[in-house]
Amino acid sequence: MDAVPDQDFTRRLSAVAADAETALDHLLGSATLPGEVVRPERLMSAMRHAVLGGGKRLRPFLVVESAALFGAIGQGPLLAGCALECLHCYSLVHDDLPSMDNDDLRRGRPTVHKAFDEATAILVGDALLTLAFDILARDEVHADAGVRVELVRELARSAGIGGMVGGQLLDLAAEGRFDKKRALSESEIVTLQAMKTGALLRFACRAGGILGKADASSRAAIDRYGAIVGQAFQIADDLLDVESDTATLGKAAGKDAAAGKGTLVTALGIDGARAKLDALVTEAETVLEPFGVKADILRATARFIAQRRT
Ligand code: GRG
């Protein structure tokens, strides 16, 4: 039997998700902070639409549980997780824009540019991106300013040129947006995905090591774990795009095939992609061995990510 049964894992994920929801609701309140002039009502309402009331909150969960592995618990890791969730939500809002993926549905609701308008959606993304770094710089995240600076730098690198934004550009290039469409090799797909979606999930795990001031070998292990779950997440997402439907996903299904997009499912086939997922879960378990039972929840998380249905 699994060390952490599925229902315990689900309960823990729901508890962190509920804590994150409360914290995000507070962070997106109407009261101005020192240094702010006014929080415009339309911007706040569109930001709240983008962030609240949806989402699995997997990234805050990974920050909280990775930090707990190294003894960092409480409000600090939760806030760091919320900073990452704000940045993740910005990426979804911008990804849905007409000039990017042009999606009408996200988390089962109209996308921000549909519920509001395109200019507002661009500004929502900008404001969520900057809010993420505002949050990470706050004293409540960690008493040690050096830790906060490291979090800021690591998140910037994961989200920026050589991370998520760079990955998004490579993805658009592969679709033929700037030049001729070109089929990607398997290793090019792996690189693109490690940047576009993997980098933020990997940061979530690294953040735990930073918050808990873990030693170098533990940091290397949690970093590798983060890279593995990042890859597993994307393969599961590509499988869902092929095998699930729009109602279940709360976003458009079948888009990769329609766009002729290269994924590991197209490169390896459905069975090959499933076998790769299994191998990644096994590798995640191996990487976590040095931490013993303390890492059971992270083992269950790797399984959940590989088997997820939404
Ligand atoms: C526009 C700068 C910019 C970047 C976009 C993250 C991203 C890059 C695009 C998202 C497109 C997409 C749907 C990718 C698949 C993987 C992914 C990030 C899925 C959404 O994450 P979940 O499943 O979503 O964790 P929830 O709603 O649960 O938060």
Side-chain angles (χ1 to χ4, degrees), residues 54-59 85 88 90-92 94-95 100-101 106-107 164-165 168 196-197 200 233-234 237 251 308 310:
K56 296 177 283 299
R57 311 303 189 198
L58 202 52
R59 292 156 191 79
E85 185 69 11
H88 164 62
Y90 126 70
S91 80
L92 299 180
H94 279 192
D95 188 66
M100 298 268 186
D101 247 13
R106 168 72 61 187
R107 294 175 168 171
M164 181 185 73
V165 170
Q168 176 77 351
K196 185 180 151 179
T197 42
L200 289 196
F233 178 92
Q234 185 61 58
D237 206 69
K251 63 176 183 179
R308 72 198 176 90
T310 62

Side-chain angles (χ1 to χ4, degrees), residues 245-288:
D245 54 79
T246 301
T248 310
L249 294 180
K251 63 176 183 179
K255 286 204 76 168
D256 295 346
K261 187 178 273 191
T263 70
L264 284 188
V265 176
T266 49
L268 306 173
I270 289 186
D271 291 347
R274 288 214 176 285
K276 178 75 190 165
L277 262 183
D278 289 345
L280 286 168
V281 172
T282 304
E283 193 188 345
E285 286 170 348
T286 307
V287 163
L288 294 174

Side-chain angles (χ1 to χ4, degrees), residues 175-290:
E175 273 180 21
R177 291 283 193 106
F178 315 122
D179 208 335
K180 263 216 212 71
K181 191 179 163 100
R182 183 176 68 85
L184 298 182
S185 69
E186 189 181 325
S187 89
E188 285 174 319
I189 294 170
V190 169
T191 300
L192 185 161
Q193 295 187 339
M195 292 168 71
K196 185 180 151 179
T197 42
L200 289 196
L201 291 157
R202 187 173 180 180
F203 167 79
C205 303
R206 288 162 73 91
I210 296 169
L211 285 158
K213 295 191 170 182
D215 61 32
S217 71
S218 298
R219 281 186 194 220
I222 201 71
D223 179 48
R224 181 66 203 135
Y225 170 81
I228 294 166
V229 295
Q231 200 183 354
F233 178 92
Q234 185 61 58
I235 296 174
D237 206 69
D238 294 339
L239 280 165
L240 286 172
D241 188 69
V242 175
E243 297 184 326
S244 194
D245 54 79
T246 301
T248 310
L249 294 180
K251 63 176 183 179
K255 286 204 76 168
D256 295 346
K261 187 178 273 191
T263 70
L264 284 188
V265 176
T266 49
L268 306 173
I270 289 186
D271 291 347
R274 288 214 176 285
K276 178 75 190 165
L277 262 183
D278 289 345
L280 286 168
V281 172
T282 304
E283 193 188 345
E285 286 170 348
T286 307
V287 163
L288 294 174
E289 256 163 28

